[in-house]
């Protein structure tokens, strides 16, 4: 698929990269609907993300995430994904084949600053969340790079600048 044929825009990146806030602004600018995969998971299961992790573990959450992702990919929209979406081979293929993929990069320090007051992320509900973020990002970094069509550095740009960069690359 060529760039111009990829109308759907899929945002990937670590927790705290700004996928939801950048996604909402980008959707307004591109006049597309905005879909947040995590919000869709909550809406369809009627459970919070911590509840799903507590009841079904990470593997149960990942199964639901893949099903919800497939449904979201039916729409020509700006789609914000959860940070762990790239951990499954199936999800990476789905993402690569179904949209223009923007990798929103944030350093581990930035990820930590942006997530430290949020209790809604079970993956980092541990004693030392910064080390956990570092460990997770080390594993996932090559996976984001594998699926990306473009990279946007959210450390050094405002939301507005990130959105403008994406608009100029699609
Ligand atoms: C996760 C990231 C979260 C959410 C879930 C798991 C992860 O989304 O999908 O808590 O494994 O990195 P955000 O990246 O929007 O925080």
């Amino acid at each position: 698929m060529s760039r111009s044929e990829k109308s759907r825009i899929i945002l990937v990146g670590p927790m705290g990269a700004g996928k939801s806030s950048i996604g909402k602004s980008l959707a307004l600018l591109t006049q597309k609907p905005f879909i947040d995969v995590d919000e869709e998971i909550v809406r369809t299961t009627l459970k919070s993300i911590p509840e799903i992790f507590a009841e079904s573990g990470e593997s149960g959450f990942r199964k639901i995430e893949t099903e919800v992702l497939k449904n979201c990919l039916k729409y020509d929209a700006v789609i914000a994904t959860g940070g762990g979406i790239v951990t499954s081979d199936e999800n990476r293929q789905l993402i690569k084949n179904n949209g223009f993929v923007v990798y929103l990069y944030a350093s581990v320090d930035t990820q930590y600053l942006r997530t430290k007051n949020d209790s809604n992320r079970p993956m980092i509900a541990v004693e030392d969340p910064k080390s956990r973020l570092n460990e997770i990002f080390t594993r996932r970094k090559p996976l984001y790079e594998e699926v990306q069509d473009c990279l946007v550095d959210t450390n050094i740009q405002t939301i507005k600048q990130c959105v403008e960069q994406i608009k100029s690359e699609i």
Side-chain angles (χ1 to χ4, degrees):
M1 216 192 288
S2 78
R3 250 171 203 228
S4 56
E5 282 171 301
K6 288 181 166 181
S7 173
R8 186 179 297 109
I9 303 166
I10 305 170
L11 305 179
V12 301
M15 290 172 261
K19 300 179 293 287
S20 302
S21 27
I22 292 170
K24 279 178 199 157
S25 293
L26 183 66
L28 282 176
L29 192 70
T30 54
Q31 297 189 310
K32 290 182 191 296
F34 172 69
I35 307 176
D36 187 305
V37 174
D38 281 342
E39 275 175 21
E40 287 305 303
I41 291 172
V42 172
R43 202 174 61 82
T44 54
T45 61
L46 299 176
K47 285 177 189 157
S48 70
I49 306 246
E51 271 168 356
I52 300 171
F53 269 76
E55 283 173 21
S56 319
E58 186 184 347
S59 65
F61 175 80
R62 297 292 166 211
K63 285 193 190 110
I64 300 170
E65 187 178 43
T66 298
E67 287 319 301
V68 171
L69 172 67
K70 285 181 186 161
N71 203 39
C72 294
L73 290 174
K74 292 177 185 156
Y75 301 93
D76 178 13
V78 173
I79 301 176
T81 60
I85 203 105
V86 292
T87 54
S88 119
D89 294 347
E90 183 182 9
N91 291 353
R92 290 202 301 285
Q93 289 312 316
L94 284 167
I95 289 170
K96 275 198 275 193
N97 293 333
N98 285 288
F100 182 78
V101 185
V102 180
Y103 167 24
L104 297 180
Y105 168 78
S107 68
V108 171
D109 283 341
T110 302
Q111 292 171 36
Y112 176 65
L113 285 175
R114 293 184 187 155
T115 57
K116 67 179 176 165
N117 295 320
D118 189 344
S119 58
N120 206 32
R121 291 181 167 98
M123 294 293 291
I124 50 170
V126 293
E127 212 165 285
D128 185 355
K130 196 164 173 184
S131 304
R132 182 93 172 100
L133 281 168
N134 190 38
E135 178 203 307
I136 293 173
F137 191 52
T138 305
R139 263 187 283 121
R140 293 180 182 170
K141 193 172 171 284
L143 307 177
Y144 297 129
E145 288 168 355
E146 181 195 315
V147 296
Q148 72 164 67
D149 289 307
C150 85
L151 182 146
V152 173
D153 188 342
T154 73
N155 287 303
I156 53 163
Q157 300 188 96
T158 62
I159 291 181
K160 190 163 180 279
Q161 288 169 327
C162 291
V163 169
E164 276 161 9
Q165 186 196 330
I166 300 167
K167 184 83 175 34
S168 74
E169 302 214 26
I170 53 181

